[in-house]
């Protein structure tokens, strides 16, 4: 077994772990207002990532419709902010 730095070991663990999506969802939650604006952030209840799909939960019907039209921009903005092509699809619920 080779030697690894703690940083390398954590990086490998995170890449293989289910925790990675949870941490990425937390990062997106933290930048959500900056990326989408205060109004959208205010009415977004939950954000999660499952298999490179971003799930956005909101109880507001008109906001759901607006977000449906902005899916491509959401993917672009989030991936740009995270500096990696993580999100491939957006689902609004």
């Amino acid at each position: 077994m080779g030697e690894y730095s703690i940083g390398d070991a954590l990086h490998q663990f995170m890449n293989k772990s289910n925790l990675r999506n949870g941490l990425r969802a937390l990062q997106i939650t933290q930048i959500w207002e900056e990326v989408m604006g205060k109004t959208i952030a205010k009415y977004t209840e939950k954000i999660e990532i499952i298999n490179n799909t971003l799930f956005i939960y909101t109880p507001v019907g008109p906001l759901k419709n607006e977000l449906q039209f902005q899916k491509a921009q959401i993917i672009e903005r989030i991936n740009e902010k995270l500096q990696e092509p993580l999100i491939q699809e957006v689902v609004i619920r």
Side-chain angles (χ1 to χ4, degrees):
M1 192 161 154
E3 292 183 26
Y4 296 97
S5 71
I6 291 175
D8 289 341
L10 284 173
H11 183 72
Q12 287 181 8
F13 172 75
M14 291 306 296
N15 284 337
K16 294 178 182 178
S17 170
N18 290 332
L19 294 174
R20 185 169 191 256
N21 283 341
L23 289 173
R24 287 298 194 195
L26 181 60
Q27 283 181 309
I28 292 171
T29 301
Q30 291 174 341
I31 62 169
W32 187 244
E33 183 177 322
E34 178 184 338
V35 172
M36 297 304 297
K38 288 183 180 187
T39 303
I40 291 174
K42 180 179 177 180
Y43 294 107
T44 302
E45 288 186 343
K46 181 179 171 185
I47 295 173
E48 63 183 349
I49 301 171
I50 300 172
N51 298 327
N52 296 57
T53 300
L54 180 66
F55 289 85
I56 303 168
Y57 298 87
T58 180
V60 181
L63 179 57
K64 288 180 185 180
N65 289 334
E66 181 66 29
L67 293 174
Q68 290 291 342
F69 292 115
Q70 293 187 25
K71 285 183 177 183
Q73 292 90 354
I74 293 169
I75 292 169
E76 183 180 326
R77 291 175 186 173
I78 296 294
N79 288 341
E80 182 179 310
K81 193 71 172 173
L82 294 177
Q83 298 178 346
E84 69 174 292
L86 175 70
I87 304 302
Q88 296 174 358
E89 187 178 343
V90 174
V91 175
I92 313 298
R93 294 191 172 166

